[in-house]
Amino acid sequence: MRLLHKIEPTPPRSSSYLTDPDDIGQLKSFFAIPANTAIYARVTLVLVKPDYTSPERLKYPINHLRNLALYAATTSHVFVMDADFVPSPNLYRHARDTLLVDLPGSRRQAIVIPCYAIREDHKDDPLPTTMIELEELIDRGVAYITDPGSGHGPTLAVPMMTTGNTGGFWYEVCYESQWEPYYIVPRDSDNLVLYDARFRNQGGDKQSHALQLNAAGFQFLVSTETFILHKDHSKMVWPGGGFAESQKAYTHWSYFAEFMREMEDLYGANVRWPRACSATAIGWQVQQRSPIGVLMG
């Protein structure tokens, strides 16, 4: 948040979950320091205090927290980002002055911001501030695309960066199943898609949102001049055991089971197929998709 305070002129909205009873005391101690109060003066901070007598409190309500931050926002567009990411210094102004102005006519567009990680043995190095600096770190193996498989591979950020043939401020990609990008989306009531609050702990939380955007007919346009960064760190211990425990729970909400069946009932069996991707999009060629559908009677 300290870095965000320096580079983002728009007031951030942040939601926090007070997992343990003593968290509120730590929070009060933190804000008793004037310097910290000054940093957070522009921040709308939403706090969630659970019932500490219930074991359910350890099921981290990650998507509920995202929705609370969305409700607190007052801007025309929103960018939901995890707390351990830092945006490039130009993200806000470039999005406001260029990306949102340069977009085609439809309101149902998600501007994907590529996300990269900095290896833990370089965590104390200065963060890159430009695409040129970032590309140099990628060439040296210091920076890399987070989850280059289904998680963030469909963004095609590194292939497009290295080939240098984007030809503009953005390029279009096609939705892929299990993709979980970070994106700027419209917040107006006709186009806002909330996160499914039934996903708790870790696993399926962002994937489910991207799937619903695709089902709602959103295009995915990747920014070529901005990025967000994550510094590698030791494995986080989730309050409720994270992904492993959520998958073993007797009653849980699974992305591939209950959720996917519900989505297929609502949108059809082909819900994981890209809905609004144009046949000329980069994704059709690089992801080896065929733009020709198959009809069977």
Side-chain angles (χ1 to χ4, degrees):
M1 188 63 72
R2 292 176 186 272
L3 285 172
L4 193 64
H5 169 75
K6 293 179 181 179
I7 62 180
E8 291 292 347
T10 185
R13 269 65 178 170
S14 175
S15 55
S16 299
Y17 188 63
L18 305 178
T19 309
D20 296 312
D22 62 346
D23 285 348
I24 191 67
Q26 295 181 33
L27 195 64
K28 288 180 178 178
S29 298
F30 178 82
F31 283 116
I33 302 172
N36 293 336
T37 305
I39 289 175
Y40 280 81
R42 296 187 303 114
V43 178
T44 298
L45 186 60
V46 182
L47 302 178
V48 176
K49 182 180 178 182
D51 177 2
Y52 293 120
T53 65
S54 171
E56 292 292 305
R57 71 179 175 85
L58 293 179
K59 294 180 180 179
Y60 191 74
I62 187 164
N63 275 355
H64 177 55
L65 296 175
R66 289 175 174 138
N67 287 339
L68 290 176
L70 287 175
Y71 284 130
T74 57
T75 50
S76 65
H77 289 72
V78 289
F79 178 53
V80 177
M81 181 181 70
D82 292 348
D84 54 352
F85 278 86
V86 177
S88 58
N90 68 331
L91 177 55
Y92 175 76
R93 288 186 173 86
H94 183 70
R96 181 194 63 189
D97 300 338
T98 303
L99 289 176
L100 296 179
V101 175
D102 189 54
L103 287 179
S106 173
R107 288 280 291 169
R108 295 211 156 184
Q109 291 155 336
I111 305 173
V112 177
I113 308 300
C115 58
Y116 299 85
I118 303 295
R119 299 198 179 279
E120 190 170 5
D121 54 341
H122 289 269
K123 63 183 176 63
D124 296 324
D125 295 354
L127 291 175
T129 59
T130 66
M131 294 300 296
I132 293 175
E133 293 175 359
L134 176 61
E135 188 171 358
E136 290 175 352
L137 293 184
I138 292 173
D139 291 341
R140 290 168 45 200
V142 175
Y144 65 96
I145 196 77
T146 57
D147 189 2
S150 58
H152 294 286
T155 303
L156 304 175
V158 172
M160 294 302 293
M161 177 190 290
T162 54
T163 57
N165 61 355
T166 57
F169 295 120
W170 52 265
Y171 58 90
E172 184 183 4
V173 296
C174 300
Y175 170 78
E176 285 278 351
S177 180
Q178 300 180 62
W179 189 29
E180 49 179 3
Y182 295 91
Y183 31 58
I184 299 169
V185 290
R187 191 193 169 277
D188 62 278
S189 58
D190 292 334
N191 295 291
L192 179 63
V193 176
L194 294 174
Y195 288 80
D196 194 320
R198 293 171 294 187
F199 285 96
R200 305 182 71 164
N201 286 332
Q202 184 186 24
D205 47 290
K206 293 197 301 295
Q207 296 173 5
S208 60
H209 191 259
L211 181 97
Q212 290 185 86
L213 288 187
N214 175 64
F218 272 72
Q219 281 183 293
F220 295 92
L221 311 175
V222 183
S223 169
T224 61
E225 300 293 331
T226 62
F227 53 87
I228 57 175
L229 294 168
H230 165 82
K231 289 186 177 183
D232 278 349
H233 51 70
S234 56
K235 194 71 174 180
M236 174 183 169
V237 179
W238 285 72
F243 180 76
E245 289 301 317
S246 68
Q247 299 304 298
K248 292 188 295 184
Y250 178 71
T251 56
H252 65 280
W253 187 250
S254 168
Y255 176 81
F256 290 106
E258 296 89 350
F259 174 77
M260 194 57 66
R261 285 196 295 269
E262 183 178 297
M263 292 298 102
E264 290 174 349
D265 288 342
L266 286 172
Y267 300 107
N270 64 344
V271 65
R272 284 179 277 187
W273 188 260
R275 296 290 178 96
C277 185
S278 68
T280 57
I282 295 296
W284 286 110
Q285 290 80 38
V286 181
Q287 295 169 357
Q288 303 302 308
R289 286 192 179 277
S290 170
I292 302 176
V294 177
L295 296 178
M296 299 182 66

